[in-house]
Amino acid sequence: MAIPFLGHGSAVMIGVESTWGTKVTRTNSLRVVSHGITRKIEKVDRPHLGTAGSAYYTRRSHYTQSDRSGGPIEILASYNDSTVLLMAYLFGAAVDAGGPTYTHTITAAHPGHTGLSIETLNGTGIAEVWEGCKIASGEFSIESGGIARLSVEVMAETNGGLEAASTPTFATEDHILHSHAGQLSYNGVTYDLISFRLSADRKLGDRQLLGSALTKEPVVSDFPEITGTIVREYDSSTLNAAFIADTQADTTITFTGTSPNVLAFTLHNIFITSVVRDTSQPGVIRETATFKCEATASESGVSIVFTNSLALYTTNA
C-alpha cells in the first residue's frame, strides 16, 4: 500500500512575469500556513432536447463552459522576505530606495503589476505551477500574543497540471511579532491595540471572451477598497466621538524588528464606519472600530514602508 502524501513542508515559490500569463522561473520561496489555489473546470450539459427514440433519457454530451483558477495563500508575515512582494502586488505599486539599508514604499495603484508565476508545493507530494497570477484581495492581521499573518486571494490564468516540485530556498525570516508593535496614532490620540487588521480588495474581475475557456488578464471592475479593523480596551469615548463627527485623519502604526527591519503603515484619510463595545462579560470591555481609507489628489489611500537589507522588493534574501 502506497504511503499517502503529507502536508509537512508545503510551500510556495514565486516568479515575477514580464508578460502576463507567460510562465517564468520561480526564485522566491515562502513557507506557508496554508495554500489552496485550485483549478475549477465548469462542465455543463449541451442544452438540446436529446435524440428521438433513445433507449435512455440520460444526457449524452457536455462541454466546458469555463476554466477558472484561483484560491488563497496564507503566510507568516516577515520584514525581510517575499512578504514585501506579495504586499506590493496586493496594493499595486512599490518603489525601492536607499542602500545599504533599503526602503520599499508600497502604495495603492492601478493597473498594478503585470503578473506572477506561483508554484504551490504540496508537502511531500508534487507541485502545480500557476501562471498569470494576480493578487485580487488580501489582509494583513496581527493580534496580541501572535505573529502577523498575510492572507491573499489569487486569481490565476491556468496551470499545466501536476509536475515535479522545485527545490525551495528560504530566507532567514524576521517575523513580525505582536511585541514589535508601537501605538496606533489617529486624530492626535494614541491607542494601545489588542489587534490590527488591514484589508485591500482590488475589485478584479475575470474576462471571458470568445476563443477560450480561460480568462484574459483580470482588470479592475469597480472602485478598489482599503479597509481595516482595530480592537482596543475601552477607556475613553474618543473613537466613538470621531465616528459620530465623521472625522478624517491620517493614521499610523509602526512595527520594529531586528535592526534594520521596520514596517510602517500610514493610512490616509481614514474615517470610522462602526464602533462596537463588547459588554458580554464582567472583565475589560473591548471596543472594536472599523474604518475605511480614502485617496486624495496626492495620496493613494495607504503608504506602507518596509525597511530592510534587501536591495529590491522583488528579491527574497
Side-chain angles (χ1 to χ4, degrees), residues 8-317:
H8 175 75
S10 293
V12 296
M13 298 179 66
I14 305 170
V16 175
E17 297 177 351
S18 55
T19 301
W20 180 83
T22 300
K23 183 171 62 176
V24 298
T25 302
R26 285 74 58 204
T27 55
N28 296 23
S29 305
L30 286 168
R31 297 178 179 89
V32 297
V33 176
S34 63
H35 66 67
I37 304 178
T38 57
R39 185 172 178 180
K40 298 177 181 178
I41 303 175
E42 189 171 1
K43 303 174 183 181
V44 299
D45 297 325
R46 296 179 186 267
H48 55 65
L49 298 180
T51 303
S54 297
Y56 304 103
Y57 271 32
T58 306
R59 291 278 189 183
R60 293 188 178 188
S61 61
H62 67 277
Y63 71 102
T64 296
Q65 185 177 71
S66 64
D67 187 344
R68 291 183 169 91
S69 298
I73 297 172
E74 184 176 15
I75 64 168
L76 298 179
S78 297
Y79 299 96
N80 60 340
D81 65 5
S82 289
T83 298
V84 189
L85 174 63
L86 289 180
M87 291 275 276
Y89 272 68
L90 170 60
F91 287 95
V95 175
D96 302 310
T101 297
Y102 299 90
T103 60
H104 316 283
T105 302
I106 297 168
T107 54
H110 173 74
H113 297 85
T114 302
L116 300 169
S117 294
I118 299 178
E119 181 174 347
T120 51
L121 285 69
N122 298 304
T124 59
I126 51 182
E128 294 171 283
V129 180
W130 308 90
E131 59 198 52
C133 294
K134 296 271 192 174
I135 306 301
S137 61
E139 179 181 78
F140 175 93
S141 63
I142 189 164
E143 299 183 356
S144 56
I147 301 175
R149 298 191 181 204
L150 178 63
S151 303
V152 298
E153 189 71 23
V154 175
M155 295 177 68
E157 182 188 26
T158 191
N159 72 9
L162 294 169
E163 58 185 79
S166 302
T167 301
T169 301
F170 300 107
T172 302
E173 309 104 323
D174 184 9
H175 286 132
I176 302 165
L177 304 181
H178 66 103
S179 55
H180 296 174
Q183 292 180 308
L184 180 130
S185 176
Y186 167 62
N187 194 34
V189 182
T190 57
Y191 300 93
D192 293 313
L193 299 184
I194 296 170
S195 66
F196 170 78
R197 296 177 181 270
L198 182 68
S199 303
D201 184 349
R202 298 187 61 206
K203 303 294 186 182
L204 296 183
D206 60 7
R207 299 161 57 212
Q208 299 296 132
L209 303 179
L210 293 176
S212 176
L214 303 175
T215 182
K216 296 297 184 183
E217 183 174 357
V219 297
V220 172
S221 60
D222 201 347
F223 291 99
E225 291 186 340
I226 302 170
T227 58
T229 303
I230 58 172
V231 180
R232 71 175 188 120
E233 294 182 336
Y234 176 50
D235 60 5
S236 71
S237 61
T238 52
L239 288 181
N240 195 74
F243 168 58
I244 299 299
D246 195 28
T247 301
Q248 286 191 261
D250 285 358
T251 300
T252 61
I253 184 170
T254 299
F255 298 83
T256 305
T258 304
S259 181
N261 298 326
V262 178
L263 170 58
F265 291 89
T266 300
L267 313 176
H268 296 145
N269 310 299
I270 77 163
F271 62 96
I272 297 174
T273 55
S274 70
V275 178
V276 177
R277 286 166 291 280
D278 178 11
T279 54
S280 61
Q281 45 83 32
V284 173
I285 295 174
R286 293 188 173 193
E287 184 175 58
T288 300
T290 59
F291 61 84
K292 189 173 183 179
C293 302
E294 282 189 338
T296 66
S298 60
E299 295 176 325
S300 72
V302 67
S303 174
I304 302 168
V305 181
F306 282 88
T307 302
N308 56 35
S309 58
L310 303 179
L312 302 172
Y313 74 90
T314 54
T315 55
N316 198 51

